[in-house]
Amino acid sequence: MHGEPALPPDYKHFPYVNPDVKKGGRITYGVVGTFDNLNPFILKSMRTTARGMWDPEFGNLVYESLMQRSRDEAFSMYGLLAETVEWDDERSFIQFNLNPKAKWADGQPVTPDDVIFSFELLRDKGRSPFSRRLDVVEKTEKIGKHGVRFTFNDKADRESPLLLALSPVLPKHAIDVEGFDRTSLAFPLGSGPYRVKDVRPGEKIVYERNPDYWGKDIPSKIGFDNYDQISVEYFLQENTLFEAFKKGSVDIFQEGNPTKWARGYDFPAVTSGAILKEEFMPKVPSGMLGFVFNTRRPMFADARLRHGLSLVFDFEWVNRNLFENAYRRTESFWQNSELSSLGVPADESERALLGPALARIEPEILDGTYRWPQTDASGRDRTVLKQAVMLMKEAGYSIKDGVMSDANGKPLAFEIMTQNADQEKLALAYQRFLSALGIRAAVRTVDDSQYQSRTLTFDYDVIVRAYASSLSPGLEQAVRWRSDYRDREGSEAFAGANDPDVDRMVDAILSARSAEDFRSAVRAHDRLLLSNHYVLPLYHLGRQWVARYDYIARPDAVPLYGYQLPVWWDARAQK
């Protein structure tokens, strides 16, 4: 995207793998949820998730993309199904030349026809973002025996070639086109390192390594896919999953609760050393976890009201009473990185990009001095609540007979939808803070299937959501914030933003030609998102916590993005 790849053309493997690991053994992952479909690329699979098919965390076990991202670089990708790539300086086209060795699990070769078929099928029957990938393409054509060229139209941007490179490729000869968008538990055929061995709907998926996997010796796959068998077990609640981990039914547990991390690991397997606790410090932005206001709801249309509601949340009380002061308040979508606007005044480049939007950005956010006010941790800090009431008054609300109401006397009331006990705990605290101003917030915790269904159709008032941030933000910003995704079911437009200025900043990110222009565009976008108060920011750790049984081993090197499960292995198989 910007600059040059870190690795030379003759690189042997990524720097964060163990190239000498002996493959074998097994691992069992645990997840909260369920599944009733093995196709990860259609809308119906959004409600329930078959993990591992196409999975940024466990690895793309069955399906593969044309190229693979290095998790030690923000802007570089390396060959996978595509052995070489050709493009011009203007990026008016991208040509992927397939590796002649690439083949499907049934032995048939991966062909340019498969690539073209995949993009067209996902355009017609896939879910977002796969259904949108060809929007930027004017022409797709087969070049020679192994080449596929995509010629871009005027909707394309600098990131478009990378997004095509990361798109899945499906086998034309093994896909039922007519039934592709219907729920199916049929075992899929892919080109990836694993095949589905067993499925128990809603309970378990077992993958077995394909001994004839075509790509096991290419540089971007050396040190990956180290288990003979991978199982993914499903649990209805996180507590049940944790108990299974304690008993040894699950091999790894990824912890997100600081209180539990500090106090909940005093069981025998930890004290004996059979379970190891590890902390990782990724060098990536904090991301944004927060309460998301659905601006499709008329009550949340005014940013001043959203700002006032955000001020009511007493972070200091929550951090002290619920989390032993383990967290830091999040104040930027890209905190802890040079892409963040926090503490940095807008330079001339940013100001030029923002143009007329400058008048809409809060002065403190524009000059970099913005901070969330610190409360006295009482849950009812009068100074901060006074600011909140003033903002709500500007938005047309006032307290009448102890109830916050609009000009017509209608009480301000909404529902916070949560999906687990940790979110519910936060929502109940927020409910208490809101009640001090006569605002009624109902808290409703729903099961995973209902949560997925309602978020898919934006059927909620407020939810708790995490927005992952990377050092290479791009199309995901459009999916989350651009107006044309607002009413697209299955997208990540959870806040329902509908702002031409936000649209312009997203487009500026996608069209940036230099690292400096890119940074300015992301910072300007950050300032607009913060000023619009779509999200009530919560907190971040800046670290990752993982507990694992001692027979699951990992490389010493940890990449830029933190630990990578697909490069870990079973130490018992090394003997």
Side-chain angles (χ1 to χ4, degrees):
M1 185 73 170
H2 305 295
E4 297 294 325
L7 302 179
D10 61 348
Y11 81 102
K12 304 302 181 186
H13 55 79
F14 288 147
Y16 52 89
V17 307
N18 176 0
D20 302 317
V21 66
K22 182 180 177 182
K23 298 185 186 299
R26 60 170 179 79
I27 190 169
T28 299
Y29 297 118
V31 296
V32 176
T34 183
F35 70 97
D36 60 5
N37 181 28
L38 297 185
N39 186 345
F41 307 118
I42 62 174
L43 202 57
K44 290 180 180 178
S45 71
M46 293 285 286
R47 298 187 180 187
T48 53
T49 307
R51 298 291 305 275
M53 298 288 173
W54 179 264
D55 198 306
E57 189 174 24
F58 300 156
N60 296 339
L61 305 182
V62 173
Y63 298 104
E64 293 183 302
S65 52
L66 291 160
M67 302 185 76
Q68 175 154 313
R69 186 186 295 277
S70 167
R71 304 312 293 179
D72 215 26
E73 299 175 58
F75 293 107
S76 296
M77 282 184 283
Y78 296 84
L80 187 53
L81 287 173
E83 185 177 35
T84 62
V85 189
E86 302 173 38
W87 69 94
D88 59 354
D89 289 342
E90 293 302 315
R91 299 195 178 196
S92 66
F93 74 90
I94 184 83
Q95 180 174 319
F96 300 99
N97 300 310
L98 297 177
N99 192 319
K101 298 177 182 177
K103 63 181 181 179
W104 303 105
D106 63 0
Q108 293 202 35
V110 179
T111 68
D113 289 329
D114 290 319
V115 177
I116 295 171
F117 166 80
S118 300
F119 278 90
E120 292 179 346
L121 177 65
L122 293 172
R123 175 197 62 197
D124 297 337
K125 299 206 169 195
R127 64 173 173 84
S128 179
F130 308 111
S131 60
R132 307 288 293 182
R133 294 283 162 85
L134 285 182
D135 287 0
V136 299
V137 175
E138 177 182 311
K139 183 172 60 174
T140 305
E141 55 189 324
K142 181 178 176 181
I143 305 295
K145 188 176 180 181
H146 299 293
V148 181
R149 176 176 289 206
F150 297 88
T151 302
F152 295 111
N153 59 32
D154 57 7
K155 297 179 183 177
D157 53 56
R158 297 284 294 170
E159 193 186 28
S160 295
L162 285 76
L163 295 174
L164 296 186
L166 289 174
S167 297
V169 178
L170 311 177
K172 182 177 181 180
H173 69 281
I175 296 287
D176 172 20
V177 174
E178 184 64 28
F180 181 77
D181 54 355
R182 294 198 289 266
T183 298
S184 173
L185 290 171
F187 290 8
L189 175 72
S191 62
Y194 290 85
R195 297 179 292 205
V196 178
K197 178 182 180 181
D198 184 36
V199 170
R200 299 178 196 171
E203 298 178 12
K204 184 177 185 179
I205 307 175
V206 180
Y207 300 91
E208 63 178 356
R209 189 156 34 139
N210 179 4
D212 299 319
Y213 171 52
W214 74 272
K216 60 181 180 292
D217 296 322
I218 67 172
S220 65
K221 295 297 281 183
I222 295 293
F224 285 76
D225 315 314
N226 298 319
Y227 307 103
D228 282 345
Q229 180 173 294
I230 297 175
S231 298
V232 182
E233 302 266 2
Y234 287 77
F235 299 85
L236 294 179
Q237 297 179 333
E238 188 167 304
N239 287 341
T240 312
L241 167 55
F242 188 60
E243 289 302 314
F245 171 66
K246 289 165 66 174
K247 294 175 183 176
S249 301
V250 171
D251 297 320
I252 288 176
F253 191 85
Q254 296 156 281
E255 185 59 75
N257 186 318
T259 302
K260 197 170 86 175
W261 185 250
R263 301 181 180 180
Y265 288 76
D266 56 355
F267 50 94
V270 175
T271 55
S272 70
I275 287 179
L276 308 175
K277 293 175 64 182
E278 290 192 290
E279 179 177 291
F280 299 90
M281 300 292 290
K283 301 180 180 68
V284 294
S286 62
M288 176 65 75
L289 170 71
F291 289 99
V292 181
F293 301 108
N294 186 357
T295 63
R296 301 171 187 84
R297 300 289 201 250
M299 76 181 87
F300 296 134
D302 195 314
R304 293 169 298 184
L305 178 65
R306 301 194 297 268
H307 189 183
L309 290 171
S310 299
L311 286 171
V312 177
F313 186 84
D314 192 331
F315 167 75
E316 282 69 29
W317 186 95
V318 167
N319 201 30
R320 186 181 71 182
N321 291 281
L322 301 184
F323 302 122
E324 302 183 354
N325 290 317
Y327 287 115
R328 291 179 58 194
R329 186 73 187 264
T330 303
E331 297 175 288
S332 163
F333 283 78
W334 284 272
Q335 201 157 330
N336 303 330
S337 80
E338 67 166 9
L339 299 178
S340 173
S341 65
L342 192 65
V344 182
D347 59 20
E348 289 306 312
S349 177
E350 274 190 76
R351 289 175 176 273
L353 273 176
L354 288 164
L358 284 169
R360 301 176 50 216
I361 296 179
E362 295 168 29
E364 295 81 7
I365 292 178
L366 196 60
D367 64 24
T369 61
Y370 168 78
R371 294 292 187 279
W372 278 95
Q374 289 197 353
T375 71
D376 57 13
S378 66
R380 295 195 176 195
D381 187 304
R382 290 182 175 274
T383 302
V384 179
L385 289 181
K386 183 178 179 180
Q387 296 177 48
V389 169
M390 292 299 294
L391 283 162
M392 293 180 195
K393 186 176 181 180
E394 291 176 20
Y397 287 84
S398 59
I399 300 175
K400 302 169 186 175
D401 300 324
V403 178
M404 185 69 73
S405 307
D406 66 13
N408 297 317
K410 183 179 180 180
L412 178 57
F414 53 86
E415 179 186 87
I416 304 172
M417 185 175 70
T418 59
Q419 65 180 138
N420 55 47
D422 287 340
Q423 290 186 5
E424 183 180 66
K425 184 166 58 175
L426 281 171
L428 290 172
Y430 191 25
Q431 179 188 60
R432 175 190 169 194
F433 303 147
L434 290 164
S435 68
L437 296 183
I439 301 169
R440 189 173 75 251
V443 176
R444 184 179 182 189
T445 300
V446 300
D447 62 32
D448 181 71
S449 180
Q450 186 176 355
Y451 185 87
Q452 294 296 334
S453 176
R454 289 183 61 182
T455 53
L456 187 73
T457 56
F458 313 120
D459 180 21
Y460 50 82
D461 296 333
V462 178
I463 57 172
V464 180
R465 200 74 195 187
Y467 294 90
S469 296
S470 74
L471 292 170
S472 57
L475 185 63
E476 84 285 351
Q477 297 304 308
V479 175
R480 294 171 183 175
W481 303 112
R482 210 161 62 187
S483 304
D484 53 338
Y485 282 88
R486 173 184 170 94
D487 299 317
R488 193 172 299 168
E489 290 188 5
S491 76
E492 296 180 13
F494 301 114
N498 186 20
D499 186 331
D501 291 321
V502 171
D503 295 348
R504 286 195 302 108
M505 293 310 103
V506 171
D507 291 343
I509 291 171
L510 296 175
S511 61
R513 297 293 297 267
S514 69
E516 293 76 16
D517 289 346
F518 180 79
R519 183 182 61 209
S520 294
V522 177
R523 286 180 180 174
H525 181 48
D526 191 27
R527 295 184 208 274
L528 265 178
L529 295 182
L530 295 172
S531 289
N532 277 322
H533 299 282
Y534 297 118
V535 179
L536 189 173
L538 292 175
Y539 47 72
H540 64 275
L541 282 168
R543 65 196 77 175
Q544 300 167 332
W545 291 324
V546 183
R548 59 183 168 94
Y549 278 88
D550 60 357
Y551 52 78
I552 300 298
R554 66 169 182 84
D556 292 331
V558 178
L560 186 70
Y561 282 81
Y563 69 92
Q564 299 293 307
L565 295 178
V567 303
W568 292 18
W569 64 86
D570 190 335
R572 296 168 296 190
Q574 308 306 303
K575 300 175 182 179

